[in-house]
Amino acid sequence: MRLLRTGIGVAAVALLLTGCASGANSGSGEVDTSLDPADISGEISYAIWDVNQQPAMEELIADFNKTYPDVDVSVELTAYAQYFTKLQTQGSSDTLPDVFWMNGPNFQLFASNGLLAPVTPLEDAGLIDPADYPAAMNDIYTLDGVQYAVPKDFDTIAVFYNRDIFARAGVAEPTSDWTWDDYHATAKQISDALAGEGIFGSGDGFGTQETVYPSILSNGGTIIEDGESGYDSPEAIEALQFWTDMVADGSMPSPAQNADTTGLQRFLNGQAGMLWTGNWQVSGLLESPVADDVTAVEIPLAPSGERVTGIHGIGNAMSAKAADDPAAQAFLAYLGSEEAAVIQAELGVANPAFNGTQQTFVDSVPEYNLQIFEDAAADYSVAHPVSLNTGAWNKLETDLLPEAYSGERPVAEVAKDLAEQMNQALAKEK
């Protein structure tokens, strides 16, 4: 598995679920609040994809068992690269885990195929209150007016950088008013100064959530608007050219170089000075050799003079087949509680979605300047772009954008091709 979660793209086999609603629940999902927690028992499964968060999830289960001692929760860890492919197979065979992590790009596919249990019964029972979470996060997990997952955490994008590498390269540390030109110049200076040590100035790896979307959105472009791709706009093309130029002069690794060692791995190993990424990386950074050298700064200002980041986060979902299981209901309700959010924040594993608990996460690693991720969410974030079948056009991004970054084809040509194929995919959703 990759060391940390990267991006939130959808597996290419997303359409496999279409028409496979065998897991749809026939029960009401009604919650019996008269049950004594001590009388609820059973064995349930909890599927996740991040090995760095597994210890924290097990701590949550231990805390849950203080109230529900006879509910045995087993964690099913699957690498992110295989997670949704496995989940789709399980969905098609009616063997989904009882409770599992969901993300925005995959959510609508699972919900529209009847594989997720609505959280409405938990709301009606007073166990979940959507008002406890950011509205944008509730919206991500709502389809046709029904919410199907409880927000676990949320993330925005900033630039982590290695202060030791900056010092060794003789480069000044960035400030919040820096620009794309500043970012490029800084990366080039570091690459030039430390190339002999195999160090790149930027370790960015072309992830859409981390780099492509924030740069296009910051520059005034769009990814999807009114069901149409925005990739062929001048603003999007300028953003893609920014990254392509970085590769061309050695400021950051090429797609081929990233195939051998990802930009994230380079940054964690002290072989890259900067990295656009999200606050979900904190737990992995703390376990890395560069843990004591890292801090963060806002993404640089685009030529438009603006900066914009997507906001996204994991949701805890319950399979439709488990909708009537009191043990699964109780566990999902616990995962959505303030108590669970605080534990997660204190451990520094993720920025909790429960309103009012984020400061604990910020304070967990003060030297990482995590407040900027919270400020980004409040001041310059937009919802992560998704559609009914996000996987179809995410695959197009994965297939086509490296042709621009590598210089194989002109950026404008790739952008036009991507927009046309993406629009064809989006048209099939209507």
Side-chain angles (χ1 to χ4, degrees):
M1 146 170 202
R2 66 199 191 327
L3 185 58
L4 297 172
R5 178 167 71 97
T6 61
I8 50 176
V10 186
V13 292
L15 279 176
L16 287 177
L17 274 180
T18 302
C20 298
S22 60
N25 172 55
S26 58
S28 67
E30 183 176 351
V31 178
D32 184 355
T33 56
S34 68
L35 292 174
D36 187 322
D39 293 332
I40 296 177
S41 62
E43 297 179 358
I44 60 174
S45 52
Y46 182 37
I48 66 173
W49 63 67
D50 190 346
V51 66
N52 293 292
Q53 292 200 38
Q54 183 172 359
M57 298 305 102
E58 290 172 345
E59 285 206 32
L60 292 179
I61 292 169
D63 189 59
F64 169 74
N65 284 146
K66 292 176 183 175
T67 305
Y68 296 90
D70 293 325
V71 177
D72 183 11
V73 183
S74 59
V75 173
E76 295 181 357
L77 176 68
T78 302
Y80 184 77
Q82 290 83 43
Y83 182 85
F84 282 102
T85 301
K86 179 180 179 181
L87 211 61
Q88 290 160 11
T89 300
Q90 292 172 319
S92 299
S93 60
D94 201 16
T95 57
L96 278 171
D98 297 297
V99 181
F100 50 94
W101 285 4
M102 177 52 63
N103 70 7
N106 285 280
F107 158 69
Q108 292 190 27
L109 192 70
F110 280 79
S112 64
N113 279 280
L115 297 171
L116 306 182
V119 300
T120 310
L122 294 176
E123 296 175 26
D124 294 342
L127 300 176
I128 294 290
D129 184 352
D132 288 329
Y133 316 101
M137 294 306 305
N138 291 323
D139 291 345
I140 286 175
Y141 293 109
T142 297
L143 181 66
D144 296 332
V146 179
Q147 187 165 341
Y148 290 90
V150 182
K152 170 187 174 293
D153 54 42
F154 70 86
D155 47 68
T156 56
I157 303 299
V159 178
F160 281 104
Y161 66 97
N162 185 317
R163 305 181 75 171
D164 178 62
I165 286 179
F166 271 63
R168 287 158 53 198
V171 178
E173 295 186 23
T175 56
S176 61
D177 61 347
W178 67 336
T179 66
W180 285 9
D181 286 343
D182 295 331
Y183 184 82
H184 192 165
T186 300
K188 186 69 167 62
Q189 286 179 277
I190 293 173
S191 289
D192 289 347
L194 302 177
E197 300 177 38
I199 294 175
F200 285 89
S202 165
D204 295 304
F206 317 112
T208 51
Q209 183 185 13
E210 298 95 329
T211 60
V212 178
Y213 297 168
S215 57
I216 290 176
L217 296 169
S218 294
N219 207 33
T222 62
I223 309 304
I224 304 176
E225 188 171 57
D226 298 328
E228 297 286 332
S229 171
Y231 268 108
D232 56 351
S233 71
E235 294 84 2
I237 291 171
E238 184 177 23
L240 297 176
Q241 189 68 56
F242 165 66
W243 296 110
T244 302
D245 291 345
M246 295 266 295
V247 173
D249 69 6
S251 297
M252 62 185 284
S254 68
Q257 290 169 317
N258 261 309
D260 295 330
T261 304
T262 68
L264 174 62
Q265 289 170 327
R266 290 180 196 277
F267 187 79
L268 294 174
N269 293 332
Q271 295 178 299
M274 300 181 287
L275 187 75
W276 290 39
T277 192
N279 41 0
W280 66 81
Q281 301 287 19
V282 169
S283 58
L285 285 167
L286 290 171
E287 297 297 322
S288 76
V290 300
D292 295 335
D293 300 320
V294 171
T295 189
V297 65
E298 294 90 342
I299 59 173
L301 295 164
S304 66
E306 302 292 333
R307 61 169 62 96
V308 178
T309 170
I311 181 171
H312 178 266
I314 295 172
N316 281 304
M318 181 166 61
S319 73
K321 69 181 179 61
D324 293 321
D325 182 349
Q329 293 171 342
F331 186 55
L332 182 61
Y334 168 78
L335 292 174
S337 69
E338 182 176 9
E339 179 180 357
V342 169
I343 291 174
Q344 179 177 255
E346 289 176 341
L347 294 171
V349 296
N351 184 43
F354 197 99
N355 291 331
T357 63
Q358 291 82 25
Q359 191 60 45
T360 303
F361 176 69
V362 170
D363 294 341
S364 68
V365 199
E367 59 272 28
Y368 281 11
N369 195 24
L370 299 177
Q371 183 60 46
I372 62 173
F373 293 94
E374 311 298 334
D375 294 341
D379 299 335
Y380 53 90
S381 68
V382 298
H384 185 84
V386 297
S387 69
L388 182 62
N389 188 16
T390 311
W393 49 271
N394 276 172
K395 183 177 187 305
L396 295 172
E397 293 169 323
T398 301
D399 290 346
L400 294 176
L401 288 177
E403 296 179 4
Y405 300 139
S406 66
E408 181 181 342
R409 295 169 63 195
V411 170
E413 180 180 309
V414 172
K416 183 175 184 295
D417 189 5
L418 174 55
E420 290 177 352
Q421 294 194 48
M422 187 170 160
N423 283 332
Q424 292 172 9
L426 290 168
K428 294 178 181 177
E429 298 181 4
K430 299 175 181 175

